[in-house]
Amino acid sequence: VLADPSLVCTCTTLELAARAGVSNATVVRFASSLGFSGYAELQKLSRKMLLADRYIRETFHTGSVARSLDAILQRQTKQLEHSFSRIRQANFDRLVNAIASARRIYVTGVRAVYAPASFLARMLNLFFRNATFLPMFGESAYEELFTGDSNDLFICFSVIRYSQYSLTLAELASARNIPIAVITDSAVSPVARLASMTLEVSLE
C-alpha cells in the first residue's frame, strides 16, 4: 500500500489480496485495524489523498512554460526509471531473443494499453515484417491464433482492470503451444500465469 498507494484506489479487496499474497479477509482486517469501518472507507480516503497529491504536484509548477516542461520531464524520467528498475535483464533478454527468432508475432492490448500494444506491433513490423496486431473486434484475432504454433510468439499487454478478451486470447495461444510474453503491472495478473516471459512495469 505504501509502495503504490494508487492500488488501493483501483483494486478490489480480492485484487489487492492477490497482489500482496494474502487472503481477502486479511485486507479487510487491515483496513479495520487502521480505524476504518471497512475497505470502502479506506479506498475513499485514498482516492481523496491521491487527487490532492496530484493537484499539488500539478499546480506547484505554474510559472513559466520552461519550468513546467522541466517538471514534466523530471517526473517522466523518474517514472521510466521506476518501471525499468522492476524489469530483470534476463527477462528482457529472453523476450528480445524470442522476438528475433519468432516466425510470426501476435500482439494484443485493449483499453488503457491499446496504444502501446498497437505501437509495438507497428514498430516490430518495420523491422521484421511478421507482426500482427490483434484488436478487439470480430473473430479475426481467434482465426489468426488458430494458425499459430511453437515457432510463433504472443505478446500481451495486460493491466488492471484485466481484460477477459486478452485472457481468452492468451488461453488460445497457450492451447496452440505459442510462447506467451506479457507486459503487465503485476506478476500475478491472469495472463502472467500463462506466460513464460513476464515484464512487470509501473502502471502509472
Side-chain angles (χ1 to χ4, degrees):
V1 170
L2 291 175
D4 192 352
S6 63
L7 288 177
V8 180
C9 301
T10 56
C11 287
T12 64
T13 55
L14 287 171
E15 291 165 340
L16 190 61
R19 285 167 171 265
V22 299
S23 69
N24 185 46
T26 299
V27 173
V28 176
R29 284 196 302 269
F30 170 74
S32 299
S33 71
L34 294 176
F36 296 102
S37 60
Y39 181 73
E41 190 180 352
L42 170 62
Q43 200 171 44
K44 184 177 180 181
L45 179 64
S46 297
R47 286 173 179 156
K48 282 183 179 179
M49 293 185 73
L50 191 65
L51 286 172
D53 178 60
R54 284 185 177 169
Y55 176 78
I56 290 168
R57 282 190 281 118
E58 289 168 7
T59 57
F60 184 77
H61 303 280
T62 54
S64 69
V65 172
R67 278 204 323 236
S68 296
L69 287 173
D70 183 57
I72 291 168
L73 286 170
Q74 287 181 26
R75 186 171 176 221
Q76 292 295 331
T77 300
K78 285 180 181 178
Q79 288 175 0
L80 284 170
E81 287 173 350
H82 177 61
S83 275
F84 278 100
S85 71
R86 297 174 69 180
I87 298 174
R88 294 178 182 171
Q89 185 66 48
N91 291 348
F92 182 79
D93 291 343
R94 283 184 65 203
L95 179 55
V96 170
N97 290 331
I99 288 171
S101 60
R103 179 184 58 188
R104 287 174 297 188
I105 303 169
Y106 305 100
V107 184
T108 193
V110 299
R111 296 199 291 264
V113 287
Y114 177 94
S118 60
F119 181 76
L120 175 63
R122 185 176 174 212
M123 291 298 103
L124 289 175
N125 254 331
L126 287 177
F127 289 100
F128 301 107
R129 306 280 182 191
N130 65 348
T132 301
F133 180 60
L134 305 177
M136 192 173 175
F137 63 83
E139 297 180 356
S140 60
Y142 303 103
E143 292 170 355
E144 288 278 356
L145 284 177
F146 267 121
T147 64
D149 58 34
S150 59
N151 296 305
D152 303 322
L153 176 66
F154 177 74
I155 302 176
C156 180
F157 285 72
S158 179
V159 300
I160 198 167
R161 299 189 172 268
Y162 304 110
S163 161
Q164 180 59 48
Y165 169 76
S166 297
L167 178 58
T168 301
L169 288 182
E171 289 172 341
L172 178 56
S174 179
R176 299 291 305 168
N177 294 318
I178 302 172
I180 298 171
V182 62
I183 298 169
T184 182
D185 59 328
S186 172
V188 295
S189 65
V191 175
R193 293 169 188 157
L194 298 170
S196 56
M197 292 163 278
T198 301
L199 295 189
E200 192 175 348
V201 297
S202 170
L203 185 58
E204 187 175 0

